[in-house]
Amino acid sequence: MNAMKISNPTFTGLLLSITFLVGCTKVSAQKETKRYNILLIMADDMNEYGFFNTNPAVKTPNLDKFRQTALSFRNTYCPAPACSPSRTAFLSGVAPYRSGKYFNGNVAWPEPLLVAQENLPEYFQRIGYNTYAKGKIFHANIPEERVARNFEGGIGKGGFGPFPDSLHRIAGGSRFRGMQAFPDEDFPDNQNAEAIIDLLKNNHDKPFFMMYGLWRPHSPYTAPQRFFDMYDVDTIEIPEGYLENDKEDLPKIAQEYINSEKEGFELIANDTHLWKKYLRGYYACYSFADWNIGRVLDALEESEYADNTIVIVTSDNGFHMGEKNRFNKNSLWELSAITPMAVRVPGTAHAGMTTKKPVNLQDLFPTFVEYCGNGEQPLQPIDGQSFKALLEDPTAAWEKPSITYFGKNWVSIRDEQYRYILYPDETEELYDHHTDIWELTNLAGNPTYNAVKKKLKTFVPSEMANPLPGRWTSRMKKIEDNVTKPIDK
């Protein structure tokens, strides 16, 4: 049969229009199906030990495996060196110097600036994503109704426990200072991993933004017994970065700050065997976190979303295990400020590579906007700079250093080679990471480096918000007052 010949121009035009619209619909649908999913995995207090093998004793087979498929960011740092302000900054898009949220111990979103801010998961919801989270996300509480606006189904199991009993706690220490084994079912990290695995098995009708927040390796150092069994306390060594007289070349204000935690440090450091047991606990929790991260990554690989999901594995801040005479975060030095990170973009040509360009957790939000927003911008200005260019070319030009804040006029700036620290009394520290990765030699007093300091100091904001009220704010003011009256910028 011959094909029907259409001679009516009006009908022909209508048919062509319909054909064009159908074609556009198909193209649009294809474009929609190609929108990237996001899986953001965030550990708690995970320093660089196992992630970048600066402490070879720490076993992280799943992180090692993941890094072979991703681009590692060797110099990633937190906006503030504690859980709540770091998470508040990168989730809200508002840097600590603008919000005044520098410390733990106060509410997360109290200022009008933060209350009115469209945060990261809210942005994803608005641009058409399903948003999910399980585990530790915000750290500090935000209003319940806002949690519902952020994530479908809430945020899952929470809490730092299980806590060690009195026999397994360090004498004089809190319930966070101790080491003890518990069964798997007692840990929120396990339960939340299972919830994420179930979500990855679901059929999602829209692209998703998904967060898995681990409570480990944060103290207390409790984990299933098999992770303690990975480490023999008698073979554990005191960290390479520890130097007994490390405080001697620091400014008075830095020494005063270290001395404010002197008793807690000496409680552990004066007993070498106890120190090694404490390290064993941290290592066990580090490997425990690695195991759960591996379970989630395996579930993604087995899902239908493996080829269309950007995966980020990072931490909210780092942690000292004796270095700089402290067992804590809450400092402007490397081991506290570092937030080790690796990012996998589907089809990347840079799998297994590492870039030393300095980035910040604050840069995640604008990077997601550039990858997933289809031109849709957040409702309010956000801080940070997209590092999409580095994901596409790890050697691309990148002039911006990474900045960490720990109070008004307590600022640490990190470029590829140097860390520069400026205190309220204008005293300084400077470390060359090409020769001194543990920051043992303060170069700030050497005139050879005046140009380096001058350049890095230009990145210090000219104005910084006053800190929000809280116990840490009071504590830091006392330290400042003990040294000198801070300069009000």
Side-chain angles (χ1 to χ4, degrees), residues 33 37 129-132 152 195-208 210 299 302-306 308:
T33 59
N37 304 303
Y129 275 63
N130 289 327
T131 56
Y132 308 98
E152 300 171 33
I196 291 290
I197 291 168
D198 287 342
L199 283 169
L200 290 170
K201 294 176 181 178
N202 290 348
N203 182 18
H204 299 281
D205 59 346
K206 296 190 291 185
F208 59 74
M210 191 178 298
E302 295 168 3
S303 77
E304 60 184 286
Y305 309 107
N308 197 41

Side-chain angles (χ1 to χ4, degrees), residues 174-196:
S174 73
R175 61 181 183 154
F176 283 93
R177 288 281 183 101
M179 302 76 70
Q180 187 175 354
F182 289 89
D184 283 60
E185 57 268 22
D186 288 357
F187 290 92
D189 282 357
N190 288 24
Q191 299 168 43
N192 291 318
E194 293 292 343
I196 291 290

